[in-house]
Amino acid sequence: MICPKCEYEYVEGIKECPDCGTPLVTREEFEGHLLHPEDWVVVYTCSDNIEAEMYKANLESADIETLILSQKDRNYPTVGDLAVIKILVKRDDAESALEIIRDINSRAQNTEEEGDEE
Ligand SMILES: [Zn+2]
C-alpha cells in the first residue's frame, strides 16, 4: 500500500496515510496513476536493475527527474527474473531524456568490446 501523495509505502492493513490522511492505494494503482496522462511517460524499459539505475543516474545528472518502476514484486508472478523495469520522466523532459538515452546507448555500443569495468 502506498500513499499517492507522500509516495511512502505502508504495510498491509493500513488504510490511510498517517501523515496526510490520504487513502492508500495499491502499488498497481499507484503505478497506473503515475503512468496516467499528465505527468510521467516511460522513456525506456529494461530488465536489468543496474542498467536502470545507470540511466537514472545519467538522467538525473542532467537535471531530469527520473523514476524507476520495477515489477519485480512478489505480487507480480513473473517468469524467472524477467521483470520489466520502466524508466519514467516527466512529459516535458521526455525529449531530452530520449536524447540522453540514445547517447548512452551509442556510447555503450562503441565501448562494448572493452567490457565493463567494476
Ligand atoms: Zn501521505
Side-chain angles (χ1 to χ4, degrees), residues 55-114:
Y55 284 108
K56 184 174 193 265
N58 274 278
L59 292 169
E60 283 183 338
S61 72
D63 269 335
I64 295 175
E65 206 182 331
T66 311
L67 205 67
I68 291 180
L69 291 182
S70 167
Q71 297 188 342
K72 211 172 245 182
D73 193 296
R74 37 178 198 286
N75 295 328
Y76 279 96
T78 49
V79 183
D81 265 347
L82 268 182
V84 177
I85 299 166
K86 300 192 190 88
I87 298 172
L88 294 93
V89 300
K90 293 277 175 69
R91 192 173 288 277
D92 291 346
D93 294 328
E95 238 171 83
S96 17
L98 283 172
E99 251 170 66
I100 291 167
I101 288 169
R102 234 173 305 167
D103 194 50
I104 296 168
N105 286 342
S106 64
R107 246 184 302 157
Q109 266 164 16
N110 292 337
T111 54
E112 214 163 57
E113 298 295 296
E114 287 155 56

